[in-house]
Amino acid sequence: MLFRATTGADLDRVTGFSVDEPVSTIDADRYLDELGKGMYRPEWTWIAEVDRRVVGRALWWGQASSEHPVALDCLHVEASVADRAAVAAGLLDAGLGAFARQGAPKPPLYNLTLPNGWRDDEAVSAAVAWRRSAALAVGLTEEVERLRLEWTPEVGVPSGSGRLVFSEGSDEEFLDVFRRIAVGSLDLETRRNLAVKGPEVTAREEMDFYLGCPGERAWWRLVRTADGTLAGLAIPSATPYNRNVGYLGVVPELRGRRYIDDVLAEITRFHAEQGAELITATTDTTNVPMAAAFARAGYRTAQIRLLYSAPGS
């Protein structure tokens, strides 16, 4: 078994590789389009070969400006392989090792996209099982399940209550709010980062992440009550594909008053007024209050995502 990154000469074999399971499928057209944009790259595309026959494929993705891959988008091993999990683990281990030697500061996460109700579908559950085994075997042991949500114009823009005021702010002010709203967060990644890195580093990394997203810094808003009390922040953002809710939160002392509904309504209104036909968002399945806020605002669950990452990364 040979595990290696591809070259331009492998393109037809990469795009012609057949995926026969209903999870995280990247078709040839999308791969070629994003290959041309630098979001997929030959050196981020890895294959497993037996006697020059491709039996496994891993597609790592990054933004066009990324120096290193951000996430594993698609992992597949042919059903004819006796131990798919073992081959997948070998493929991941080879790729992650190469990225580390090239200076990647952390292993890219594995983003496994699934249909709603995936646990009730025997074929999907089986497809998840061997991929999970491979991820765990190479050290991607932190698992988070998230809802991938969508808003479209026909559901209407949610109305705010008028209780909050939204205004621009300095980087220092936003950094302070990032720090404050991390306390008591129900987001699993935030909680893990707080435990490992503390509030200062967690806040800085969150802020730096959104500064690096395709959305504009000028969109960001601080949130205050009518009497000027700081209530939280609203960060409309974007992905390379569409507008995105980004980041939102309420300071601990003002939670429980459904201010989050007003913050989400403001982000949705902002994108809608700029002509967005689709707004996406994600939240952990365990973050029940946030999921309920999205439902009240008309966001529907389009997909489920399982994310696997290395501890502390």
Side-chain angles (χ1 to χ4, degrees):
M1 184 76 65
L2 173 65
F3 304 110
R4 66 174 178 87
T6 61
T7 67
D10 297 305
L11 183 59
D12 287 345
R13 297 201 298 161
V14 170
T15 57
F17 187 73
S18 178
V19 177
D20 58 2
E21 292 175 299
V23 297
S24 297
T25 301
I26 306 298
D27 63 28
D29 288 342
R30 177 180 166 185
Y31 180 82
L32 290 171
D33 177 59
E34 297 190 18
L35 182 70
K37 296 174 180 176
M39 292 190 285
Y40 291 119
R41 302 177 194 176
E43 64 270 25
W44 295 352
T45 301
W46 281 67
I47 55 177
E49 290 180 304
V50 176
D51 296 330
R52 294 195 54 77
R53 183 172 68 89
V54 177
V55 298
R57 185 187 68 173
L59 307 180
W60 276 276
W61 176 96
Q63 296 192 40
S65 60
S66 299
E67 182 178 357
H68 304 288
V70 174
L72 175 64
D73 261 1
C74 184
L75 173 65
H76 191 69
V77 176
E78 282 190 349
S80 61
V81 173
D83 190 340
R84 297 170 95 174
V87 172
L91 191 54
L92 297 186
D93 188 56
L96 295 178
F99 303 147
R101 291 190 295 274
Q102 292 159 11
K106 59 185 179 181
L109 60 82
Y110 178 20
N111 176 27
L112 183 54
T113 303
L114 307 170
N116 292 326
W118 66 270
R119 288 182 174 83
D120 299 324
D121 187 314
E122 185 175 340
V124 178
S125 295
V128 170
W130 66 260
R131 289 171 169 86
R132 174 187 281 128
S133 294
L136 298 180
V138 298
L140 303 179
T141 55
E142 298 284 9
E143 181 183 71
V144 176
E145 184 170 353
R146 285 185 177 162
L147 308 176
R148 196 271 195 181
L149 302 135
E150 294 182 350
W151 176 94
T152 49
E154 65 269 15
V155 303
V157 178
S159 58
S161 68
R163 298 179 296 168
L164 300 177
V165 178
F166 299 85
S167 61
E168 298 180 3
S170 67
D171 284 358
E172 291 75 17
E173 288 175 305
F174 276 105
L175 184 60
D176 178 60
V177 185
F178 270 107
R179 187 185 305 112
R180 291 175 63 179
I181 65 177
V183 176
S185 172
L186 296 179
D187 180 83
L188 290 175
E189 183 178 1
T190 300
R191 293 164 70 93
R192 288 169 179 167
N193 286 339
L194 279 174
V196 174
K197 304 173 183 179
E200 296 294 332
V201 174
T202 297
R204 170 53 67 184
E205 289 185 351
E206 290 277 18
M207 184 166 168
D208 287 347
F209 173 82
Y210 285 99
L211 285 171
C213 287
E216 298 179 17
R217 169 64 175 81
W219 299 349
W220 296 18
R221 294 293 183 268
L222 295 173
V223 182
R224 292 185 172 86
T225 60
D227 65 3
T229 301
L230 181 69
L233 54 70
I235 299 184
S237 191
T239 72
Y241 310 102
N242 44 253
R243 293 298 183 97
N244 182 260
V245 167
Y247 197 90
L248 70 167
V250 173
V251 295
E253 60 269 26
L254 294 182
R255 289 172 185 160
R257 308 182 191 191
R258 287 203 175 176
Y259 283 149
I260 200 66
D261 287 12
D262 296 84
V263 179
L264 179 56
E266 176 66 14
I267 292 175
T268 306
R269 180 202 61 77
F270 173 83
H271 285 320
E273 288 185 353
Q274 294 201 359
E277 293 295 321
L278 174 67
I279 305 171
T280 60
T282 60
T283 193
D284 296 347
T285 55
T286 54
N287 192 343
V288 176
M290 193 67 246
F294 277 116
R296 290 192 294 269
Y299 285 74
R300 69 176 185 88
T301 302
Q303 296 171 331
I304 302 296
R305 288 181 175 173
L306 288 180
L307 305 179
Y308 295 91
S309 60
S313 68

